[in-house]
Amino acid sequence: VSLSSKQLKSLTQLIPDGEVQSAPHQLVAYSYDNSRLQAMPDTVVIPHNREEIIQLVKWCGVNKIPLISRGHGTGTTGATVPVNGGVVLSMEKMNRILEISPQNRFMVVEPGVTNQQVQDAAAEHGFFWPPDPTSAAVCTIGGNLACNASGPRGVKYGSPRENVLGLEAVNGRGEPFKTGCYTTKGVVGYDLTRLLIGSEGTLAVITQATLKLQPLPQTRQTLRVLYNSIQSAAKAVSRIMAQPVIPYSLEFMDDKAIQMISDYSQLNLPDTARALLLIEVDGTYSTIADSVEAIIDSAQTEGCIDVFRANSTEEIEQLWKTRKSLSPALRKVAPKKINEDIVVPVSEIPLFLQKVAEIEVQHGVTIVNFGHAGNGNLHVNLLVDPDDSTQMKAAHLALAAIFKLTLELRGTLSGEHGIGRVKREYVSQEIDAVAMRMMHDIKHVLDPYHILNPGKSLPDDTTG
Amino acid sequence: VSLSSKQLKSLTQLIPDGEVQSAPHQLVAYSYDNSRLQAMPDTVVIPHNREEIIQLVKWCGVNKIPLISRGHGTGTTGATVPVNGGVVLSMEKMNRILEISPQNRFMVVEPGVTNQQVQDAAAEHGFFWPPDPTSAAVCTIGGNLACNASGPRGVKYGSPRENVLGLEAVNGRGEPFKTGCYTTKGVVGYDLTRLLIGSEGTLAVITQATLKLQPLPQTRQTLRVLYNSIQSAAKAVSRIMAQPVIPYSLEFMDDKAIQMISDYSQLNLPDTARALLLIEVDGTYSTIADSVEAIIDSAQTEGCIDVFRANSTEEIEQLWKTRKSLSPALRKVAPKKINEDIVVPVSEIPLFLQKVAEIEVQHGVTIVNFGHAGNGNLHVNLLVDPDDSTQMKAAHLALAAIFKLTLELRGTLSGEHGIGRVKREYVSQEIDAVAMRMMHDIKHVLDPYHILNPGKSLPDDTTG
């Protein structure tokens, strides 16, 4: 695709209040996400309201121009990279919080508001919105919904699909519509809300969302538990998830992840530590002690060598800094690492990690594992140098083996990063041909001109 | 539709192990649900496995015969009544629990298993499945999923859409497919799981479900709180839902509901009681007291005249018997009552009930209100005699006014009963034309021959 100057002019006339940007230095800012894929859009449009979006989608339909909606570009799969050119729709000025209803526990927002802004506004009324990706400070709600992103709290409070009541959106014909409702129950018509959530902008442009709020826990306690083997920690995760107290978060790091952050901060962990669990427990002042005891009981499997309770805000921050420094640290070591986020049933984590260690040896690729263990959601990082073709070949064989293993253990290929551009070729290993054809047909229903984020999420429809 | 003897014979040959029943006394048993609508099927098929269902759906497609899946017929909207004749598929022999995984908190079941059987099997491992319709003792999981039925626990633990991980189903072409996964996170492909849940058998036949389990609370306390006015109770509901402790259930009854059950049991309530809240609070032994105090604090609005705490299993059972005797008592008084289950945002309950009282006076129809107040889900019962045409005319005017009011207050027309046959004409008041057309198109994708439960859930597609 390449827009003619006539087309550009008609676009600018169409959206007088919107900003249409086409200078190269402007385009480059919208050409990439956090996957390190890059492709230049033909133009960038920054609308202020739904009406402008309706006009823009209609224009793209008539002109058969790809339309890629994006927030702040923190995704890791290339889902917002305009690989076929076209128009990037940036939600940066659709960033208002429209309503907060504490009594009804909901908040109505535009998609360009950041996760942090939502949390801050909710906290003023004693609430929070559960999804909290590591990028919460900058990522937008629209992006969170597009890839159903959760983060650590997902283990107890669920993903966006469990925490959104309704949406307003514009389909691929440029028609606005509503989904869901403002209440926690409702069964009128088919569930289009969850259909749009996780569809990576391929079915409609979300223009408004009603988020379901949860009351802030009165208090939390943060624990760091160390193990002398990965298997011990994995078994502890299984035990924790089999007893009644569900932790607020339950994060895992393997030996190489520990090593990595030790190099970049002063952790002073014992040399025997080969795995780490970072556990948060929430509750009321009267319940927290019992809940923490229940968790520690389950966490103390054979091989547990240390339990540390954070006793101050500083100590809590220090623990989380450890966890959050992991991705940047990894990126420093291997700037073009392959970062997957598979999920396996919690009871299969020990076997999964054992087999991954075998795959690592077999293919000679360094693999670092950490992630949201309470959901079975592991971030599997292959440290590779993309300029080394032998290494890349080995990495792709290792990756194929990891995905095969994941599916054999009844897992799924992505827990929250999504498919985007980078994992499309693997999707048909998980989704059967019948479901895939119906998904393509549903895509055609909502986006008949195939302009919404083409080439993302689902593999190409090859059935004709 | 009427099956020829040749067709019947081919059907019997097709499904040798299945039971094909066509004697009138057999058909009549599958001709109604709990809506009091009735229509005779042409035949009833009772399959034993998915393969038989695949063959049956294909046969119906070729012969253009409607196929209506059903469980035990406890629905209240006529969703399983074969209004256009055809084949009723009874799930009564697809009733196995296939797997329970306590470590991974899931259970895999066939659709014909009852809710109670699921609860019993889960309880052996210390878990429960949250949805608990009043008919839990007999209703099937397939039916619960078909109409996204919740019950009292929905206020804290959500509906089937929040408590199912994945499905196996057969679409209207007779093709089997899988949706979702076995883990609590997963974002590969579009969310077909939630699309099928609540679609009342119009999109596919669900043949297997992976249910997400929750740990059983260690203990519960049950409270009955009385108010001297409906408004006081309604305001208490708002206050309870605005503070952090979410009750396990929060049921409401108005003055006429109290009167009704007083006539059928020994309640001995004070004469001044005009509204009642039945509240359950769950927690651990160490937390329950504090949680109950928090709830009682919020419940004690102006007009609260009594707080009674059940102190024994017998007292708890007595309180719940009160709640559960309500529907049968109502049915005794008005066998053909119109029973709606609208939802409004919790903060709007006081205004909703005030306006309903006005509608009651204006149209001269007795209206009894009770329901799952914590979700804003109210069962609005119009006590009418269908043989009295003047009364029925007034009732339908009153109903139209109630639905209009519900939507004005940003509510929804059904919380858990669904649409079925009886509420179809009102659906387009809630769902906009664009969303409706996409729903019809999605129906066409999954069921291109339009054989799956025709004439239910969505209004007829009149757009051609």
Side-chain angles (χ1 to χ4, degrees):
Chain A
V1 189
S2 189
L3 294 188
S4 67
S5 60
K6 201 175 149 191
Q7 283 179 317
L8 255 183
K9 201 175 161 194
S10 77
L11 187 57
T12 311
Q13 284 169 343
L14 200 68
I15 306 173
D17 294 334
E19 291 174 44
V20 180
Q21 303 188 342
S22 294
H25 73 277
Q26 292 171 319
L27 298 184
V28 78
Y30 299 92
S31 65
Y32 58 89
D33 67 357
N34 199 14
S35 70
R36 292 168 187 265
L37 287 179
Q38 189 177 13
M40 292 290 271
D42 289 291
T43 192
V44 174
V45 177
I46 306 172
H48 298 79
N49 54 54
R50 188 177 74 167
E51 190 50 38
E52 290 179 353
I53 292 175
I54 291 171
Q55 296 308 324
L56 175 60
V57 177
K58 283 185 175 160
W59 185 91
C60 288
V62 168
N63 291 279
K64 302 278 175 296
I65 307 287
L67 179 66
I68 300 94
S69 302
R70 64 173 272 152
H72 291 161
T74 58
T76 62
T77 67
T80 58
V81 177
V83 289
N84 301 308
V87 176
V88 163
L89 186 176
S90 169
M91 289 293 185
E92 63 203 82
K93 295 204 172 160
M94 298 269 294
N95 62 352
R96 290 175 304 164
I97 291 174
L98 301 171
E99 181 182 356
I100 304 180
S101 176
Q103 278 181 305
N104 299 308
R105 300 183 179 221
F106 70 65
M107 184 189 291
V108 184
V109 303
E110 291 182 329
V113 67
T114 65
N115 187 294
Q116 190 63 55
Q117 286 167 329
V118 163
Q119 306 301 352
D120 291 346
E124 279 179 36
H125 299 271
F127 290 89
F128 70 105
W129 189 57
D132 62 337
T134 307
S135 55
V138 289
C139 64
T140 65
I141 295 299
N144 296 169
L145 303 189
C147 58
N148 196 34
S150 309
R153 291 195 292 232
V155 61
K156 180 158 183 177
Y157 294 100
S159 73
R161 283 188 182 134
E162 286 85 34
N163 290 287
V164 174
L165 299 176
L167 299 171
E168 284 188 24
V170 175
N171 69 17
R173 292 178 196 264
E175 299 167 329
F177 63 101
K178 280 186 156 191
T179 77
C181 45
Y182 292 91
T183 55
T184 49
K185 266 184 176 179
V187 61
V188 175
Y190 302 150
D191 188 348
L192 300 185
T193 306
R194 271 71 171 234
L195 190 65
L196 296 195
I197 295 174
S199 69
E200 303 186 348
T202 62
L203 295 178
V205 180
I206 294 172
T207 55
Q208 190 176 300
T210 303
L211 310 178
K212 182 178 165 187
L213 302 178
Q214 286 282 350
L216 278 169
Q218 213 173 56
T219 185
R220 297 206 303 264
Q221 185 143 16
T222 309
L223 309 168
R224 186 194 64 202
V225 189
L226 300 177
Y227 299 87
N228 64 14
S229 80
I230 290 174
Q231 287 295 307
S232 298
K235 281 175 194 153
V237 170
S238 258
R239 277 170 49 116
I240 291 168
M241 292 309 292
Q243 55 81 49
V245 179
I246 308 182
Y248 183 81
S249 58
L250 174 47
E251 300 289 301
F252 164 84
M253 286 183 208
D254 74 2
D255 50 345
K256 281 182 247 67
I258 293 174
Q259 187 56 49
M260 203 133 299
I261 49 172
S262 298
D263 295 347
Y264 289 87
S265 57
Q266 294 115 352
L267 266 182
N268 297 324
L269 299 184
D271 286 346
T272 47
R274 292 283 172 276
L276 178 159
L277 295 182
L278 181 60
I279 311 175
E280 271 195 308
V281 187
D282 62 348
T284 62
Y285 295 123
S286 63
T287 68
I288 192 77
D290 280 13
S291 297
V292 168
E293 283 315 312
I295 294 282
I296 290 180
D297 272 0
S298 323
Q300 285 179 321
T301 48
E302 204 186 313
C304 171
I305 54 176
D306 184 61
V307 177
F308 170 75
R309 302 180 192 215
N311 282 313
S312 65
T313 314
E314 291 70 40
E315 285 183 349
I316 293 170
E317 272 173 19
Q318 189 56 39
L319 288 183
W320 275 105
K321 223 170 111 183
T322 308
R323 167 67 179 85
K324 290 190 174 175
S325 67
L326 200 44
S327 272
L330 271 166
R331 183 147 293 149
K332 236 176 188 170
V333 177
K336 303 213 170 171
K337 69 187 169 85
I338 299 173
N339 171 14
E340 297 303 336
D341 81 314
I342 65 89
V343 192
V344 293
V346 168
S347 69
E348 305 286 11
I349 297 177
L351 182 58
F352 176 82
L353 290 173
Q354 180 194 317
K355 295 272 181 189
V356 167
E358 289 169 21
I359 290 168
E360 192 176 17
V361 171
Q362 192 188 338
H363 294 282
V365 180
T366 303
I367 304 178
V368 179
N369 299 292
F370 63 96
H372 316 304
N375 291 110
N377 188 194
L378 294 173
H379 294 329
V380 178
N381 291 266
L382 287 69
L383 306 193
V384 288
D385 172 4
D387 296 330
D388 180 338
S389 69
T390 313
Q391 206 182 55
M392 286 306 283
K393 212 168 160 186
H396 279 107
L397 289 173
L399 205 56
I402 289 167
F403 286 159
K404 186 162 173 280
L405 170 65
T406 300
L407 295 175
E408 279 168 4
L409 298 177
R410 298 200 290 185
T412 177
L413 299 182
S414 177
E416 57 184 22
H417 293 177
I419 302 303
R421 188 69 183 171
V422 300
K423 226 184 303 201
R424 285 171 86 220
E425 59 180 302
Y426 300 103
V427 170
S428 56
Q429 290 177 23
E430 176 166 342
I431 295 181
D432 60 59
V434 172
M436 185 75 85
R437 201 200 55 235
M438 295 190 299
M439 289 179 190
H440 276 126
D441 289 348
I442 289 171
K443 158 82 175 170
H444 188 73
V445 164
L446 273 83
D447 177 28
Y449 313 123
H450 294 242
I451 52 167
L452 298 179
N453 210 4
K456 308 292 172 56
S457 187
L458 300 182
D460 289 333
D461 185 359
T462 55
T463 61
Chain B
V1 188
S2 188
L3 294 188
S4 68
S5 59
K6 199 174 150 195
Q7 283 179 317
L8 255 184
K9 201 174 160 194
S10 77
L11 188 56
T12 311
Q13 284 169 343
L14 199 68
I15 307 174
D17 295 332
E19 291 173 44
V20 180
Q21 303 188 343
S22 294
H25 74 276
Q26 292 170 320
L27 298 185
V28 78
Y30 299 90
S31 65
Y32 58 89
D33 67 356
N34 200 14
S35 70
R36 293 170 186 265
L37 287 180
Q38 189 176 13
M40 292 290 271
D42 288 291
T43 192
V44 174
V45 176
I46 307 173
H48 297 79
N49 54 55
R50 188 178 73 167
E51 189 49 37
E52 290 178 354
I53 293 174
I54 291 170
Q55 295 308 324
L56 175 61
V57 177
K58 283 185 175 160
W59 184 91
C60 287
V62 168
N63 291 280
K64 301 280 176 296
I65 307 286
L67 178 68
I68 301 94
S69 303
R70 64 173 272 151
H72 291 162
T74 57
T76 62
T77 66
T80 58
V81 177
V83 290
N84 300 308
V87 176
V88 163
L89 185 177
S90 169
M91 288 292 184
E92 63 202 82
K93 296 203 171 161
M94 298 269 294
N95 62 352
R96 291 176 303 166
I97 291 174
L98 301 172
E99 180 182 357
I100 304 180
S101 176
Q103 277 182 305
N104 298 307
R105 300 183 180 220
F106 71 66
M107 183 188 290
V108 183
V109 303
E110 291 182 328
V113 67
T114 66
N115 186 294
Q116 190 63 55
Q117 286 167 329
V118 163
Q119 306 301 352
D120 292 345
E124 281 180 36
H125 299 271
F127 290 89
F128 71 105
W129 189 58
D132 61 336
T134 307
S135 55
V138 289
C139 64
T140 65
I141 295 298
N144 297 168
L145 302 191
C147 58
N148 197 33
S150 310
R153 290 195 292 231
V155 60
K156 181 159 183 175
Y157 293 100
S159 73
R161 282 189 182 133
E162 285 86 33
N163 290 286
V164 174
L165 300 175
L167 299 171
E168 284 188 25
V170 175
N171 70 15
R173 292 178 197 262
E175 299 168 327
F177 63 100
K178 281 186 157 192
T179 77
C181 45
Y182 292 91
T183 55
T184 49
K185 265 186 179 177
V187 62
V188 176
Y190 301 151
D191 188 348
L192 301 184
T193 306
R194 272 70 172 233
L195 190 66
L196 297 193
I197 295 175
S199 69
E200 303 188 348
T202 62
L203 294 179
V205 181
I206 293 172
T207 56
Q208 189 176 301
T210 303
L211 310 178
K212 181 179 165 187
L213 302 178
Q214 285 281 349
L216 278 169
Q218 212 174 57
T219 184
R220 298 207 300 266
Q221 185 144 14
T222 310
L223 308 168
R224 186 193 63 202
V225 190
L226 300 178
Y227 298 86
N228 64 14
S229 80
I230 291 174
Q231 288 296 306
S232 297
K235 280 175 195 155
V237 170
S238 258
R239 278 169 48 115
I240 292 167
M241 292 308 293
Q243 55 81 50
V245 180
I246 307 183
Y248 183 81
S249 58
L250 173 47
E251 300 289 301
F252 164 83
M253 288 183 207
D254 74 2
D255 51 346
K256 282 182 248 63
I258 293 173
Q259 187 56 49
M260 204 135 298
I261 47 172
S262 297
D263 295 348
Y264 289 85
S265 58
Q266 295 116 352
L267 265 183
N268 299 322
L269 298 184
D271 286 345
T272 47
R274 292 284 173 276
L276 178 158
L277 294 183
L278 180 60
I279 311 174
E280 273 195 307
V281 186
D282 63 347
T284 62
Y285 295 123
S286 63
T287 68
I288 192 77
D290 279 14
S291 298
V292 168
E293 283 317 312
I295 295 281
I296 290 179
D297 271 1
S298 326
Q300 286 179 321
T301 48
E302 203 187 315
C304 172
I305 55 177
D306 184 61
V307 177
F308 171 74
R309 301 180 191 216
N311 283 312
S312 65
T313 315
E314 291 71 40
E315 285 183 350
I316 293 171
E317 274 174 17
Q318 189 56 40
L319 287 182
W320 275 104
K321 223 170 111 183
T322 310
R323 168 66 180 84
K324 290 192 175 174
S325 68
L326 200 45
S327 273
L330 271 168
R331 183 147 292 151
K332 235 176 186 168
V333 178
K336 304 211 170 173
K337 68 186 170 86
I338 300 173
N339 172 13
E340 297 301 338
D341 82 313
I342 64 88
V343 192
V344 292
V346 168
S347 68
E348 304 286 10
I349 297 177
L351 183 57
F352 176 82
L353 290 173
Q354 179 193 319
K355 295 271 181 191
V356 167
E358 290 170 20
I359 291 168
E360 192 176 16
V361 171
Q362 191 188 339
H363 294 282
V365 181
T366 303
I367 303 178
V368 180
N369 299 293
F370 63 96
H372 315 304
N375 291 109
N377 187 195
L378 294 173
H379 295 328
V380 178
N381 291 267
L382 286 69
L383 306 193
V384 288
D385 171 4
D387 297 330
D388 181 337
S389 68
T390 313
Q391 206 181 54
M392 285 306 282
K393 212 167 157 186
H396 279 107
L397 289 173
L399 205 56
I402 289 167
F403 286 160
K404 186 162 173 283
L405 170 64
T406 301
L407 295 175
E408 280 168 4
L409 298 176
R410 297 200 290 185
T412 177
L413 299 181
S414 178
E416 56 185 22
H417 293 177
I419 303 303
R421 188 68 182 172
V422 301
K423 227 184 303 203
R424 285 171 86 220
E425 59 180 302
Y426 300 103
V427 170
S428 55
Q429 290 176 24
E430 178 167 341
I431 295 182
D432 60 59
V434 172
M436 184 76 86
R437 200 200 56 234
M438 295 190 299
M439 289 179 189
H440 276 127
D441 289 347
I442 289 171
K443 158 83 174 169
H444 187 73
V445 164
L446 274 84
D447 178 28
Y449 313 125
H450 293 241
I451 53 167
L452 297 179
N453 210 5
K456 308 293 172 54
S457 186
L458 299 183
D460 289 332
D461 185 359
T462 54
T463 60

